[in-house]
Amino acid sequence: MKVFPLVRLTGCFALIAAAICYCADALSILLGVNSSPNPIAVNGTLTYSINLTNVSASPLTVVVSNSLPASVQVLGTSTTQGTTITNSSGVIFSLGTLNNGGIALMTISARPTAAGSIVNAVNVFLSGAFTNVTTNI
């Protein structure tokens, strides 16, 4: 039996509204992030799946960034809408306008190159009209 050094995945998720919005409506989006497999062997293929749903009554302009440590090599990306940029610190998905009820699916295939923990930070930047003015400060 061959023993592989294992990598444990941990997550950090943040919701940040664009400057023109001041504060994001708590009910504007639903965000789901999944990583598999967990744990994973060094040099194995890791898949991050990000699902974002606009549950507001208005269209939103959405950018999603996924920060990854230097010990993770991005192999490929896909999204159901918009464009993707991969750089040394992770992946940026510029989704454009996501209509109310719209769903965007994003995927990152990656390879951990060192044993240890991986912290995956997903940030969502929104702009648009928010319907619940009580949460807009």
Side-chain angles (χ1 to χ4, degrees):
M1 176 168 114
K2 189 168 184 179
V3 177
F4 296 98
L6 294 179
V7 176
R8 293 245 176 237
L9 307 175
T10 57
C12 172
F13 312 106
L15 176 62
I16 302 172
I20 62 170
C21 296
Y22 303 107
C23 179
D25 182 340
L27 298 178
S28 293
I29 64 164
L30 296 176
L31 177 67
V33 180
N34 184 50
S35 57
S36 65
N38 186 8
I40 184 170
V42 171
N43 294 318
T45 300
L46 172 64
T47 301
Y48 289 105
S49 301
I50 305 167
N51 305 317
L52 188 138
T53 304
N54 178 356
V55 295
S56 75
S58 302
L60 298 172
T61 302
V62 182
V63 175
V64 176
S65 70
N66 190 346
S67 300
L68 296 167
S71 64
V72 175
Q73 174 190 13
V74 176
L75 302 174
T77 62
S78 67
T79 181
T80 56
Q81 77 175 61
T83 60
T84 305
I85 298 170
T86 301
N87 59 37
S88 60
S89 61
V91 178
I92 299 169
F93 297 96
S94 296
L95 301 179
T97 300
L98 188 62
N99 290 322
N100 58 322
I103 299 170
L105 307 173
M106 296 149 278
T107 305
I108 301 169
S109 295
R111 174 178 294 132
T113 58
S117 293
I118 297 174
V119 176
N120 174 38
V122 176
N123 296 290
V124 178
F125 301 87
L126 304 172
S127 65
F130 295 105
T131 58
N132 185 352
V133 295
T134 60
T135 59
N136 281 329
I137 299 172

